[in-house]
Amino acid sequence: MKSISINSKVHTEFINIDSYINEYINESKIINSILTIFIPHTTAGITINENADPDVTSDMKVILDRMVPWEGNYDHFEGNSAAHIKTSMMGNSLQIIIENSKIKLGTWQSIYLCEFDGPRIRTVWIKEN
């Protein structure tokens, strides 16, 4: 297993982590396998989405903020309930296919760490199954 630290820079951010995954594949000399990518946080998640147009992640942020506004009538005393809810909506893990030492994604897809309570140092765990 590999543990990666990623610094988020703003409160809500979608960080493309393809390069970290590719580095793990190359270091581990993986040819054909399945990888699990896990985010061990309750206010950061993971998703796969389009990488060609930055407006996609911008729109995702707008819609998530509309659905789960930061300010609300939440009971959680730390004041970051919206981040917890958005993380549950996105999820904390993915499984991806590796074929011929390459991530098997669609033409426009990338893997994103979803920061909802930044800026922070986030951890990503990657493990071959």
Side-chain angles (χ1 to χ4, degrees):
M1 183 178 85
K2 181 170 185 153
S3 181
I4 298 165
S5 292
I6 297 175
N7 293 321
S8 64
K9 295 174 180 57
V10 294
H11 190 261
T12 301
E13 185 176 5
F14 292 87
I15 303 168
N16 184 322
I17 61 170
D18 291 354
S19 62
Y20 298 98
I21 308 303
N22 285 321
E23 183 179 305
Y24 175 78
I25 292 166
N26 292 331
E27 286 174 358
S28 303
K29 297 181 173 51
I30 297 169
I31 298 171
N32 297 309
S33 192
I34 303 288
L35 294 184
T36 297
I37 306 163
F38 182 77
I39 310 298
H41 301 287
T42 60
T43 58
I46 191 164
T47 194
I48 295 175
N49 215 305
E50 183 175 331
N51 66 11
D53 182 353
D55 288 341
V56 172
T57 54
S58 177
D59 289 344
M60 288 171 55
K61 179 186 179 300
V62 168
I63 295 302
L64 286 167
D65 284 344
R66 190 178 302 153
M67 292 171 58
V68 187
W70 190 254
E71 297 295 325
N73 192 19
Y74 305 115
D75 291 331
H76 182 51
F77 71 94
E78 290 180 354
N80 61 353
S81 286
H84 290 289
I85 295 165
K86 291 173 186 178
T87 297
S88 288
M89 292 169 72
M90 290 312 215
N92 291 93
S93 68
L94 294 174
Q95 286 193 311
I96 58 169
I97 299 167
I98 306 305
E99 186 174 80
N100 298 320
S101 300
K102 303 248 186 276
I103 301 172
K104 194 79 172 158
L105 292 171
T107 302
W108 307 113
Q109 290 182 318
S110 281
I111 302 165
Y112 291 92
L113 167 69
C114 309
E115 173 63 77
F116 297 119
D117 198 18
R120 291 180 185 246
I121 298 171
R122 295 302 190 170
T123 301
V124 178
W125 292 338
I126 308 168
K127 184 167 176 39
E128 183 179 8
N129 296 342

